[in-house]
Amino acid sequence: MAGGVSTPNADPFPSTYHPFASRPTLIRNVTILTAAGPTIPNGSILLRDGKIAEVGASVTAPADAVVIDGAGKYVTPGIIDTHSHIGAGGVPGDNGAQTDDVNEATNPVTAQVWVEHSVWPQDPQLPRTLAGGVTTIQVLPGSANLIGGRSAVLKVVPSRTVQGMKYPGAKYGLKMACGENPKRVYASRGPSTRMGNVAGFRAAWIQAEAYRRRWDKWNATHQGDAPSRDLGLETLAEVLRGNILVHNHCYRADEMAQMIDIAHEFGYRIRSFHHGVEAYKIADLLARDSIGASVWADWGVFKLEAADAVRGNMALLNRAGVRTIMHSDDASGEQRLNQEAAKAMAEGNRIGVPVTPDEAIKWMTINPAWALGIDDRTGSLQAGKSADVVLWSGNPFSVYSRAEKVWVDGAMLFDRLDPSSQWRTDFELGFVPANRGGAR
Amino acid sequence: MMRRLFSSALLAAVCATPSAAQTIAITGGKVYPVSGPVIERGTVLMRDGRIVAVGANVVIPSDAQRIDATGKIVTPGLVNASTQLGLVEIGSVASTREARARGKDGIAAAFMPWEGLNPTSVLFGPARDGGITSAMIFPQGGLISGQAGMIHLVPGSASDMVLRAPVAMVATLGANSGANTASRAETLMRLREVLSDARVYRTRKAEFERAQTRPLAAGRLDLEALLPVLDGRVPMLIEANKASDITAAMKLATEFGFKLIIGGGAEAWEVADKLATAKVPVLTGAMNNIPENFASLGQRQENAGLLARAGVAVALMGNAGGGDEEAFNVRNVRFEAGNAVAYGMDWNAALRAITLTPAEIFGVADRVGSLQAGRSADVVIWSGDPFEFATQPERVFVRGVQISTPSRQDLLEQRYKTLPPNYRTP
């Protein structure tokens, strides 16, 4: 191949993911939370060729199907986390292990970095996340920078390479962060204030607008020399073209409102705020602009911008019509997003803002799928969608329930009842005793 | 019946509940005294801040306020065995952090963090609302961080709140100990040096005062503070995760004759039988299965259940690591118990692990942790199984008084429940 042929946005690290081998599987006599409609009690779901073939009160099993009796159990879509750092912030995290590749904290704007280049597919946190019923994650760069880089949307599957985990066709995300973190990290060189943060965002978008114009013009005519490529501006220009989704770390309501105005100024959309502990204060603004809210159930008060955290956040957002999303930002919490959702649902019911299980299931399935732009393929149990499915030992909103079996594209990749079948990363061999952390 | 209501008229009515302790009978609930068998339809009678009687056939005085708990569950107020309540307000704001001493060469044995306790911390509200009525508070940092205390979540001054202190001397073993040493063996050597010099100090105090001893490995106050540990009156709580660090701590305890408590204990299950034989209690959690570092490669959620089954006294604490479980979310320890059950711990053992067992470990079981005549009237009425997310703590009594003050979080929720907010209410 001749040199000098690189082109922008040519998918240089393409997904090599292929679904694992699967067998037609019918789960019957089970309670189904579909994330697309009312709960189906005593229902059945048929997975075939990696897709959901049929969901309903009665489904006929093909002769070759594996039939699982789900009496007393629940089926949900595979859980999706919009805010993960696993793989990039790997374990063990001891000094010297060099497993922390989350923050390229060398410049407040590092739109040029792609977090997939930090992801270690042998991070032992991955199989534990799968065992929590999580089938898709968005790995994000950290929040040290105003603009931290591209995210990666990954299937939670064993693979030798990150390319083998990349969700085929999923758009990239862009991580942005406002508030305390960037101004703390760059205190000595700037930005050192919140107004410095905003100026930094705007300066970056002004550059991106000019870059986009240059390239759009050249792309239309192909006359003369192509403009030189700039990886960071290439990413930002793709945001302006609507091809990359913005995920904006932001705690305070007033700062979120400013970020919304910046988005208006430059004509891009914020797909989801992340953390948003004060999102409940501006639920109306988020609903108006169709901005998702990726939040926690109850984290807070670890810094001043998190001091107004309330457990009612999700219920209040939900009531206002905001696409409400349970996110983790934590490899331990990611394994129990169902429990976090249960806490937030309980608080809603306590304060008179009721949330039904049919709504709460969306917080960790179809709503995050929307935030990642893959809601046409996964996130709900509907015929034709990917068979990303979890069988729970009981009601997923009970503390006593655990994911018992997990299917990704129809392939059963986790079975709690069969420890010998469970995925163990290369790192774990020899270091971590077998079958601990999974089965009882 | 919702404990906290959002209409301001009703809120005023709730706040008007007499704050002085009086005679209260909680009737009809399923009562878990923890110190004895469950009572299906029991009565808990409390008067002047103490429990007077607990049972199926309690005679209720005519002047008692009756609270019907039919269909509900009644437990002791929960005891969180590992918190920094009142010591850390806003984690990132140094001026609101009181859990660390500078110490000398990693030794701060004389440090008594409860002397800096903030009795008006806004974090007590969410904790109490979650059914937590007592909490161990611990210092951190260094090799010997200082002394832990037990606090009672009563409204009042710092001295009203301190239930007992010290309840433990806190130290850390392992690669990440703050000893400013370069290896495990050096950390142990340093700890041994300090403890043996405390012995020297004990026998030669007079000479020490006249500067007639060789230089000792720690300052006077720190050596003095270690004497109750050497006497077996104050246990040493050693944070250790790796199994070999745990056995090293046990060896040290035998050598110096101190009472040992293991904190963290990620791999404690690997040495469960040894811990049971030596009667060493363990503070651990049930929500972490991640090999976070080379000292916790064997971390698993079954830890608490395996230890309890081996006969080890287990107190549950938050160990997921990400969710503010030592401050804002100490209330979540009941979910730690639920997860422990999901991973093999007996339900009653799990309830004990967040009530009576931590009270026993820290020497306050004569005051809190169970529903028995004579104990402080710390009682929670739950809408259902206290380990379940859907369950609400409907009423929380501390020292016989029902908590009715809305927390900062309640006020925020109330203010923003309808938009735009009203900045005059609450």
Side-chain angles (χ1 to χ4, degrees):
Chain A
M1 190 187 289
V5 297
S6 83
T7 51
N9 309 312
D11 195 16
F13 305 90
S15 170
T16 58
Y17 168 78
H18 291 292
F20 285 70
S22 62
R23 298 171 62 188
T25 303
L26 180 82
I27 311 167
R28 52 179 293 278
N29 194 24
V30 73
T31 305
I32 304 175
L33 294 170
T34 65
T39 300
I40 305 170
N42 258 316
S44 297
I45 179 167
L46 176 65
L47 322 181
R48 194 171 52 206
D49 300 329
K51 303 285 183 203
I52 295 164
E54 209 178 339
V55 191
S58 69
V59 173
T60 312
D64 58 341
V66 179
V67 178
I68 296 170
D69 182 57
K73 298 177 184 177
Y74 281 64
V75 164
T76 71
I79 307 300
I80 299 170
D81 189 4
T82 58
H83 200 117
S84 185
H85 294 298
I86 66 177
V91 296
D94 304 57
N95 281 341
Q98 298 288 349
T99 47
D100 182 1
D101 289 309
V102 173
N103 278 301
E104 179 58 36
T106 52
N107 194 294
V109 176
T110 58
Q112 74 276 15
V113 302
W114 299 23
V115 81
E116 65 199 72
H117 302 136
S118 284
V119 171
W120 178 38
Q122 304 299 338
D123 182 349
Q125 295 172 126
L126 286 163
R128 287 158 177 76
T129 274
L130 179 69
V134 180
T135 53
T136 304
I137 56 175
Q138 174 174 240
V139 178
L140 287 161
S143 55
N145 298 350
L146 299 174
I147 297 180
R150 285 197 195 197
S151 73
V153 178
L154 305 178
K155 299 259 187 187
V156 185
V157 294
S159 174
R160 288 174 295 166
T161 64
V162 71
Q163 291 91 323
M165 303 170 69
K166 284 176 73 173
Y167 199 107
K171 286 180 175 171
Y172 282 100
L174 178 73
K175 175 70 175 285
M176 297 175 66
C178 43
E180 290 189 22
N181 289 8
K183 84 184 215 69
R184 189 187 68 243
V185 172
Y186 295 102
S188 58
R189 56 162 286 187
S192 66
T193 59
R194 285 182 165 86
M195 60 185 171
N197 285 353
V198 170
F201 293 125
R202 297 177 77 200
W205 291 119
I206 288 167
Q207 275 192 288
E209 283 183 322
Y211 183 83
R212 177 196 176 181
R213 272 199 306 273
R214 276 200 300 281
W215 270 97
D216 285 355
K217 192 174 157 195
W218 188 82
N219 282 333
T221 61
H222 281 254
Q223 290 191 353
D225 251 7
S228 38
R229 291 181 63 191
D230 179 297
L231 278 181
L233 293 174
E234 204 165 287
T235 289
L236 297 182
E238 279 294 272
V239 173
L240 296 177
R241 293 183 189 111
N243 296 330
I244 290 181
L245 306 175
V246 170
H247 293 272
N248 197 334
H249 156 123
C250 206
Y251 284 76
R252 265 178 25 190
D254 56 320
E255 292 187 78
M256 284 187 265
Q258 290 173 342
M259 296 310 297
I260 292 171
D261 280 352
I262 294 172
H264 290 164
E265 182 182 8
F266 294 99
Y268 67 89
R269 302 188 69 87
I270 299 165
R271 189 70 161 194
S272 178
F273 280 115
H274 287 239
H275 309 339
V277 301
E278 292 189 2
Y280 64 96
K281 297 182 183 180
I282 50 157
D284 49 346
L285 302 189
L286 300 179
R288 185 196 67 199
D289 266 36
S290 300
I291 298 173
S294 296
V295 299
W296 294 294
D298 58 9
W299 286 25
V301 203
F302 47 88
K303 51 182 172 176
L304 193 60
E305 65 183 5
D308 288 4
V310 298
R311 270 186 176 166
N313 199 14
M314 296 197 85
L316 293 169
L317 289 163
N318 190 68
R319 186 187 61 180
V322 178
R323 277 200 180 81
T324 307
I325 297 160
M326 180 59 73
H327 78 340
S328 78
D329 191 20
D330 174 60
S332 193
E334 189 169 75
Q335 298 177 35
R336 284 178 290 276
L337 288 171
N338 56 314
Q339 298 195 3
E340 297 299 306
K343 277 191 274 188
M345 183 165 57
E347 178 71 359
N349 294 333
R350 188 184 75 82
I351 64 172
V353 184
V355 179
T356 65
D358 288 333
E359 291 173 295
I361 191 66
K362 294 181 180 177
W363 295 349
M364 46 187 181
T365 54
I366 193 69
N367 290 359
W370 173 84
L372 303 182
I374 51 176
D375 52 323
D376 57 336
R377 279 163 282 177
T378 187
S380 61
L381 301 178
Q382 291 170 286
K385 282 190 143 182
S386 299
D388 298 339
V389 177
V390 185
L391 175 67
W392 301 84
S393 61
N395 185 330
F397 299 111
S398 164
V399 74
Y400 304 119
S401 299
R402 299 185 296 172
E404 192 174 290
K405 291 179 169 57
V406 183
W407 290 265
V408 178
D409 287 313
M412 190 170 69
L413 296 187
F414 174 73
D415 184 356
R416 194 175 296 274
L417 307 181
D418 182 9
S420 67
S421 74
Q422 291 169 12
W423 165 22
R424 303 188 70 226
T425 56
D426 293 354
F427 171 78
E428 289 172 88
L429 300 178
F431 278 124
V432 178
N435 300 329
R436 289 167 186 161
R440 186 179 292 186
Chain B
M1 161 75 189
M2 304 256 302
R3 189 164 48 80
R4 279 171 277 120
L5 303 150
F6 283 85
S7 126
S8 51
L10 287 169
L11 191 74
V14 172
C15 290
T17 304
S19 61
Q22 52 173 357
T23 305
I24 299 169
I26 299 168
T27 61
K30 186 172 183 180
V31 179
Y32 288 88
V34 183
S35 50
V38 61
I39 305 157
E40 281 301 331
R41 288 182 59 80
T43 295
V44 177
L45 183 66
M46 43 196 177
R47 183 188 302 136
D48 298 333
R50 286 187 182 279
I51 294 169
V52 181
V54 179
N57 302 300
V58 173
V59 178
I60 301 170
S62 58
D63 66 336
Q65 179 197 346
R66 285 171 179 255
I67 295 170
D68 182 14
T70 303
K72 304 188 186 301
I73 284 181
V74 182
T75 70
L78 306 184
V79 182
N80 191 316
S82 179
T83 85
Q84 297 195 318
L85 278 181
L87 300 182
V88 176
E89 191 78 345
I90 309 287
S92 67
V93 179
S95 62
T96 70
R97 289 198 306 257
E98 303 293 340
R100 286 171 187 270
R102 205 167 299 278
K104 262 188 222 157
D105 301 329
I107 306 297
F111 176 49
M112 295 179 283
W114 57 88
E115 298 206 308
L117 187 78
N118 172 15
T120 58
S121 168
V122 297
L123 300 177
F124 291 130
R128 278 192 290 251
D129 292 346
I132 308 290
T133 56
S134 335
M136 181 272 236
I137 54 170
F138 66 89
Q140 67 185 120
L143 172 57
I144 298 181
S145 315
Q147 302 169 38
M150 281 296 293
I151 58 170
H152 208 180
L153 302 198
V154 288
S157 68
S159 57
D160 293 333
M161 298 189 76
V162 175
L163 196 57
R164 184 169 184 226
V167 297
M169 181 67 66
V170 179
T172 306
L173 279 185
N176 297 323
S177 92
N180 196 24
T181 52
S183 61
R184 284 182 158 76
E186 190 189 7
T187 304
L188 282 165
M189 179 180 81
R190 173 81 178 125
L191 206 46
R192 230 176 231 116
E193 181 189 28
V194 172
L195 288 168
S196 50
D197 274 10
R199 277 179 170 169
V200 171
Y201 172 80
R202 177 168 57 188
T203 54
R204 304 188 57 195
K205 240 186 228 188
E207 291 106 304
F208 180 89
E209 291 291 345
R210 293 195 299 271
Q212 289 175 348
T213 60
R214 62 170 169 79
L216 299 183
R220 175 178 63 89
L221 294 176
D222 291 327
L223 294 168
E224 186 74 41
L226 286 166
L227 300 186
V229 175
L230 294 174
D231 295 342
R233 285 184 284 124
V234 170
M236 180 94 93
L237 167 53
I238 297 186
E239 186 177 332
N241 284 313
K242 192 170 164 64
S244 60
D245 290 334
I246 294 169
T247 51
M250 292 172 72
K251 194 168 163 226
L252 204 65
T254 309
E255 196 177 324
F256 287 92
F258 61 79
K259 280 203 297 202
L260 175 65
I261 302 164
I262 292 294
E267 295 183 348
W269 61 273
E270 293 180 16
V271 290
D273 290 340
K274 282 185 188 175
L275 289 161
T277 305
K279 294 189 169 23
V280 174
V282 176
L283 317 181
T284 193
M287 294 172 76
N288 202 326
N289 60 4
I290 296 174
E292 291 172 319
N293 50 55
F294 280 95
S296 62
L297 293 174
Q299 180 144 261
R300 59 191 298 206
Q301 289 178 264
E302 295 86 347
N303 194 26
L306 291 170
L307 288 165
R309 258 180 284 161
V312 178
V314 176
L316 284 165
M317 59 177 227
N319 80 339
D324 315 305
E325 52 221 339
E326 284 147 5
F328 188 45
N329 282 327
V330 298
R331 55 190 168 173
N332 284 347
V333 77
R334 65 186 175 107
F335 307 133
E336 203 80 33
N339 276 279
V341 172
Y343 284 85
M345 195 173 198
D346 171 71
W347 193 95
N348 286 293
L351 180 62
R352 203 181 198 287
I354 55 172
T355 52
L356 189 52
T357 301
E360 287 169 350
I361 291 171
F362 296 117
V364 291
D366 58 334
R367 312 267 300 278
V368 302
S370 63
L371 300 177
Q372 293 184 67
R375 301 291 187 272
S376 177
D378 300 351
V379 186
V380 184
I381 303 175
W382 306 89
S383 61
D385 180 344
F387 302 163
E388 277 288 17
F389 302 106
T391 297
Q392 297 296 341
E394 294 189 343
R395 293 173 190 258
V396 180
F397 297 85
V398 189
R399 214 178 269 167
V401 179
Q402 186 180 340
I403 299 299
S404 57
T405 314
S407 70
R408 192 167 179 278
Q409 273 60 41
D410 292 328
L411 298 175
L412 283 162
E413 282 180 344
Q414 191 181 340
R415 169 169 284 183
Y416 284 97
K417 200 178 170 191
T418 52
L419 296 176
N422 182 340
Y423 287 104
R424 293 173 192 276
T425 54

